[in-house]
Amino acid sequence: MAKRTIDKVAVIGAGVMGAQIAAHCANAGHEVVLLDIVPKGTDDRSAVAKGAIAKLLKADPQPFMHKRFAKRITPGNLEDDLDLVADCDWIVEAIIEKVAIKQDLYKRLDGVRKQGSIVSSNTSTIALNKLVDGMPESFRRDFLITHFFNPPRYMRLLELVAGTDTDPEALETIRDFGDKALGKTCVDCNDTPGFIANRIGTLWITAATTDAMDMGLTVEEADAAMGRPVGIPKTGVFGLIDLVGLDLMPLVAGSLSTALPKDDLFNRVFRDEPLFNKMIADGYTGRKGKGGFYRLNREGGGKVKESIDLKTGEYAKSVKPRIDSVSAAKSLGLRGFLTHGDKPSQYVWSVMRKTLGYAASLVPEICGTIDAVDDAMKLGYAWKKGPFELIDEMGPAWFAAELEKDGMPVPELLKKVGDGSFYKVDAGNLQRFTVDGGYETIERPEGVLLLADVKRRSDPVLKNGSAKLWDIGDGIFCFEFASKMNAIDPELLGLLGKSVGHVARKGKGLVIHNEGSNFSVGANLGLALFALNIAAWPEIENMVEVGQETYKALKYAPVPVVGAPFGMALGGGCEVLLHSDRIVAHAESYVGLVEVGVGLIPGWGGCKEMLVRLAQNPRMPKGPMPPVAKAFETIGTAQVAKSAEQAKELGFFRHDDRIVMNRDRVLYEAKQEALRLAEAGYQPPEPAELRLPGPSGRAALDMALDGFKQRGMLTPHDAVVSAALAEVLTGGPEADHTVPMTEDDVIKLEREHFAGLIRTAGTVARVEHMLETGKPLRN
């Protein structure tokens, strides 16, 4: 289908959502106009929009992938600057949820927008047919709903609602732009209240809060049970409300209640809670307020986590609950957990039977396919599995029988699937159950390659307990980390070495990628701590040496190696990328050499590769010291890039490495990059020669360290670690910038100083602390 072009975007409304939508369009490389009302009592008529941009630059998490992207946004006001939208291709309305005000704006926009421009609303509560009622046909053709989730940069769901008059070309244009430019999974919704995610999610939250109160659970018990055991974030439900804001819940729930029939399950579950009203009135709206269901009591200068008693409304010190069903959830499986019988598991069953039954009853009312529902809940509410995937896990026939036994209606779709499942694999293709009672293959958009689909169609070429090698076609192979948290251990290193050899003999190129939560969190610290506790120094030193040799083989492989990261790529995971020929990264890649946090320095070539990359960077000042100083700052302070764009600035990625906005497109693009390199006659790089400053450079770094120590910014062990890092980066006492050092010279220094640090009590304490708390130790 033909599509229109989107080059320039306008966002009307500079509130929390509007401003962040503008920021994300700027992240995608587009010029953006951001307009809002003229405020009273100020000389700057565009103060609202300008103030919104200023807030974006200070916000955490960061709405911009790089602060310089803020320059792509032009602020203005609706009285003086409405004509700025005249050359915009897409106009997003994100103003107050009142139909009359929105329609007044649409009429003004229609008078200045160019022919063929697309207008959309970010409404989450108002039906499209109400928004365009009375508007001319030409406007209705170009209008749809684009419902973003907060925060727009990080939440991958974009719900699309087209009207009966919406031009299919306009819908397809926004779908394509949302997918490729903004990195969203675009889900088609019918024009019904709450669309998909909020229709189901609000019912789930409402049922979870009312059932917890009715069954006498504490907020800690409810959140522990309604969390990881069912694949929901560990915040559970009360922690989630604290995160998004308790004050928003009555607005969303009230709007949904008004829009839905009185006999809808939501209205049968929903009720006004006096405790919640009092909390809002008292300022206990969640993390943005004085606290919410949880709070930090700072009386006496301390920090005590407290939680509210749902019966009395009084706060008391939070107590981690001990729940038999939660402790056994992994071994029990979903059905076993739900039927365990203790009160928390009964609570979860009470909530989930309503929620999942409700979801099954809403197809095809709210959307045409079951995977649209699952995608919406996974991407909009961060569930690991969607409602239909959860029903499949417990068994549709069993679930239907349990609903009937509990006196609840069995949805028609659940009756139709009978003893079958909502998803199945046929000839290697994932299929979904349809509302007609059959199955159809789920087609991926062009340019999407998922490792999950490869796995359904084939077996790994090589594998062990920590990694696998997959043939992804056209002579390109994919190396997959498969250990816990994708941590790097000897088994993974061993298979990586074998994989390089296999691809060199039988392939054209290698991509390193996986579909876990993160690319890799680095070395397996638990394994390292075990070795430390039994003083297995030779084993540790051997793992360092094997890692160095494996990564060296990766860098000098006779075929191109493309790193395809996403999420966290830390420590050894970052070092894998540093040894790759090219990077094709998801925009949300958080990359860093963080070893100093556990009292170590990078030991698998990270120091050496940072020196090489920085020395070869044409933007770096000349001479031996600038690359050393920059590497020392970056590694010594454990800097982590908060986006792929920032990873380029810090030197982890090269400036010609590619960034892909949609994670589902990363593997395909990485494969294409490997093929391009191979077809261009790839040759491995020549080993670099490094001119390092030696003792004079070490003296300069020591002066900086002395300043930090005098200001109390370095602990004694930090100073030891920093000194070792300085020694490696400056080349050691024998280095002379007039005499080049080899890469092997530098990694030998890495290995020696890593071995020295790993034996210190300070490093052992830091490794233990990191494993226990997930945070670096500072003392």
Side-chain angles (χ1 to χ4, degrees), residues 23-24 27-28 61-66 69 151-156 181-184 516-519 564-569 584-591 640-647 653 658-663 666:
H24 196 51
N27 289 334
Q62 299 172 0
F64 290 113
M65 292 178 176
H66 196 289
F69 293 169
R153 170 184 163 182
Y154 300 95
M155 299 300 287
R156 293 174 58 199
L182 301 182
K184 304 302 178 189
S517 298
N518 293 290
F519 179 75
F566 56 90
M568 290 190 289
V584 176
H586 183 222
E588 298 299 346
S589 293
Y590 316 122
V591 186
V640 175
K642 294 185 178 180
S643 69
E645 190 67 38
Q646 289 183 22
F653 296 168
R658 295 187 54 212
I659 297 174
V660 178
M661 293 295 282
N662 193 321
R663 180 173 163 176
V666 170

Side-chain angles (χ1 to χ4, degrees), residues 529 532-533 598 757-769:
L529 181 62
L532 288 171
N533 286 333
V598 289
L757 290 170
I758 200 74
R759 286 173 161 82
T760 63
T763 292
V764 173
R766 279 158 172 73
V767 172
E768 290 177 336
H769 186 80

Side-chain angles (χ1 to χ4, degrees), residues 8-74:
K8 190 172 182 179
V9 179
V11 179
I12 315 298
V16 172
M17 285 301 292
Q20 293 201 50
I21 292 168
H24 196 51
C25 290
N27 289 334
H30 293 267
E31 296 297 317
V32 184
V33 172
L34 179 62
L35 305 181
D36 209 304
I37 61 172
V38 175
K40 296 178 180 179
T42 178
D43 294 333
D44 188 345
R45 292 170 62 82
S46 299
V48 174
K50 290 178 181 177
I53 296 171
K55 287 180 181 178
L56 290 172
L57 287 167
K58 297 176 182 177
D60 188 23
Q62 299 172 0
F64 290 113
M65 292 178 176
H66 196 289
K67 288 189 175 182
R68 69 174 183 273
F69 293 169
K71 294 178 181 178
R72 294 173 179 165
I73 303 179
T74 300

Side-chain angles (χ1 to χ4, degrees), residues 201-210 212-213 219 222-223 232-250 253 273 276 279-280 284-289 291-294 310 347 381:
T202 306
L203 179 280
W204 167 67
I205 290 173
T206 303
T209 54
T210 56
M213 298 181 84
V219 294
D223 284 347
I232 288 169
K234 64 180 182 180
T235 54
V237 66
F238 291 104
L240 174 65
I241 296 172
D242 277 358
L243 183 65
V244 300
L246 177 59
D247 54 325
L248 294 179
M249 299 313 298
E273 292 290 355
F276 299 175
M279 290 172 68
I280 294 169
Y284 286 98
T285 54
R287 295 187 188 182
K288 64 184 179 183
F293 294 102
Y294 299 94
L310 294 173
Y347 158 70
Y381 279 75

